[in-house]
Amino acid sequence: MMVDLFASRVETIRDGVVLLRAFADPRILLPLIDAIASVAPFRSMTVPGGKSMSVATTSCGERGWISDARGYRYESVDPLTQRPWPAMPVEFRTLAVGAASRAGFAGFDPDSCLINRYAPGARMGAHVDKDERDFDQPIVSVSLGLPARFKIADAVIPLSDGDVVVFGGPARTAKHGVSPVVAGPLPYRFNLTFRRAG
Ligand code: SIN
Ligand code: FE2
């Protein structure tokens, strides 16, 4: 009998929440993040209440997620540079589409990748991803660097470098967030969130 080792890495956490441990290769992704940030620098966005987010953020792809005093939305031009967001690297897209497919969401077609950088102490408050047009498409979330505790619905998932979470279907509008990142041997945690925004 053939044993499918690849399939054994697919873990269903809840209906619509799938964990793919060590699915992403940080050695490939981190230099690409650096290249994107050299064109569209990381910045701390302001939320409508006036506070700054603790994570630093940039984007690539046709659309980038932004927040300012007017609210949350997607824009095709980076407000910091007044230039289009850098293109989504093919390695990013292949990873996101492959992860979605492994998780049972064939045909994922992301047009946006939000890149969050967490220094120790940075966190992401509980929220729902609801600025996208099409909730039929899942969210693919890639963790790199320092570990984190990711909370989604009533589950807490400890995430390490290279782990990927896919949430869609019944979990597409599940509340999720990240506990404050703890200092460790690496400077940051990065998270890539792939979405179909437009
Ligand atoms: C997010 O929900 O935008 C980020 C999630 C994460 O950093 O794991
Ligand atoms: Fe989110």
Side-chain angles (χ1 to χ4, degrees):
M1 194 185 95
M2 287 279 289
V3 178
D4 188 351
L5 292 173
F6 196 48
S8 69
R9 297 194 309 199
V10 178
E11 208 181 310
T12 300
I13 305 291
R14 291 285 184 281
D15 202 11
V17 182
V18 176
L19 171 61
L20 304 164
R21 287 261 181 232
F23 193 82
D25 187 345
R27 291 164 305 180
I28 292 176
L29 300 175
L30 290 171
L32 294 170
I33 293 173
D34 282 345
I36 290 163
S38 72
V39 178
F42 282 103
R43 78 292 306 263
S44 290
M45 300 238 194
T46 304
V47 290
K51 288 191 184 157
S52 289
M53 295 177 73
S54 62
V55 295
T57 294
T58 187
S59 282
C60 66
E62 278 166 63
R63 297 178 177 81
W65 182 87
I66 66 156
S67 172
D68 61 17
R70 286 167 45 212
Y72 309 128
R73 62 196 175 276
Y74 285 92
E75 298 271 6
S76 55
V77 168
D78 177 355
L80 190 66
T81 64
Q82 299 297 326
R83 294 168 59 188
W85 297 100
M88 188 184 295
V90 67
E91 294 88 344
F92 275 30
R93 189 183 164 83
T94 304
L95 166 67
V97 171
S101 161
R102 292 299 298 174
F105 299 95
F108 182 43
D109 186 18
D111 60 358
S112 178
C113 174
L114 170 68
I115 308 173
N116 285 141
R117 187 183 70 187
Y118 296 72
R123 60 190 286 276
M124 180 69 68
H127 66 278
V128 172
D129 289 4
K130 58 174 168 12
D131 305 319
E132 302 75 29
R133 203 168 286 164
D134 181 3
F135 288 174
D136 288 343
Q137 300 225 13
I139 302 280
V140 173
S141 174
V142 179
S143 286
L144 301 166
L146 289 173
R149 280 163 62 84
F150 180 66
K151 298 185 198 170
I152 181 158
D154 61 347
V156 179
I157 311 175
L159 294 177
S160 303
D161 198 17
D163 291 349
V164 178
V165 176
V166 181
F167 52 104
R172 175 59 182 75
T173 54
K175 241 188 194 177
H176 57 278
V178 178
S179 305
V181 166
V182 176
L186 297 165
Y188 297 114
R189 169 181 188 254
F190 293 94
N191 175 258
L192 311 178
T193 358
F194 294 91
R195 301 96 184 264
R196 179 76 206 183

